[in-house]
Amino acid sequence: MSVLQTERLILRQPTPDDWPIYRDFMMSDRARYFGSSGDLGATWKAFAAELGHWQIYGAGLWAVTLRDDDMIIGLVGPWHPPHWPEKEIGWMMLSAAHEGRGIATEAVRGSLEHAFDVLGWDTAVSYIWPDNKRSVRLAEKLGADLDQGAMGPTPETLVYRHPKVAA
């Protein structure tokens, strides 16, 4: 099983055991910027896609956990299903209790380094719903710039392009 470690976090491959926490997040209003919010069938398919992305590509969104607790608190990392215009570094914090503590920033930085240094990506974007101000702030904090010439998976999606980083 693939694992990344940062100062405070372990990023591991998601497992079926993560389903209840993912489901609870996706069925809540906190998931309004993610396509399957509030729809149990779509949520199930989206979770299956998270697991399947790893099976098909050997990489995908990491399950973010604290070093001393294996409970999933977020999903962060490389995402490039066949209908996506470009390779994305995506993120979602499943636990409201862990927001505002720099966890997403730390996890995304580790994921970007992995994408560029291990996966060999030349570029990475993050697709963000325009009303998702927290994700816009995170992308900008990480040095990403709005790329108005790039196409997202939907016409209204903002595309933030990350600078190439090296470990």
Side-chain angles (χ1 to χ4, degrees):
M1 179 180 284
S2 295
V3 174
L4 288 180
Q5 294 188 34
T6 67
E7 183 180 337
R8 299 179 293 165
L9 308 172
I10 293 178
L11 283 64
R12 60 164 172 77
Q13 186 173 341
T15 69
D17 291 339
D18 298 322
W19 162 246
I21 293 172
Y22 180 86
R23 177 202 58 221
D24 291 349
F25 168 78
M26 292 302 284
M27 297 304 291
S28 76
D29 184 56
R30 292 186 62 245
R32 65 189 168 280
Y33 302 119
F34 304 98
S36 55
S37 172
D39 179 330
L40 186 58
T43 295
W44 173 255
K45 290 176 187 173
F47 186 71
E50 301 290 350
L51 300 179
H53 196 284
W54 278 91
Q55 295 300 312
I56 294 167
Y57 296 112
L61 294 177
W62 305 94
V64 179
T65 69
L66 299 175
R67 281 186 172 256
D68 61 352
D69 185 351
D70 192 49
M71 181 184 76
I72 186 173
I73 59 174
L75 285 165
V76 170
W79 186 250
H80 190 229
H83 62 293
W84 243 224
E86 295 189 63
K87 294 175 179 173
E88 179 187 21
I89 294 294
W91 58 79
M92 62 177 81
M93 289 303 296
L94 306 179
S95 168
H98 292 90
E99 289 183 349
R101 295 172 44 192
I103 290 171
T105 303
E106 185 175 329
V108 174
R109 279 193 178 123
S111 295
L112 283 164
E113 289 177 6
H114 182 81
F116 290 129
D117 296 343
V118 176
L119 300 179
W121 287 14
D122 293 323
T123 188
V125 298
S126 289
Y127 297 125
I128 302 173
W129 194 251
D131 292 339
N132 191 344
K133 303 300 183 203
R134 290 185 82 148
S135 282
V136 167
R137 282 194 302 272
L138 177 56
E140 291 173 347
K141 179 180 181 179
L142 292 164
D145 292 314
L146 181 62
D147 185 343
Q148 296 184 2
M151 181 191 317
T154 65
E156 53 277 327
T157 304
L158 300 176
V159 180
Y160 275 82
R161 189 163 306 280
H162 294 277
K164 189 167 183 176
V165 294

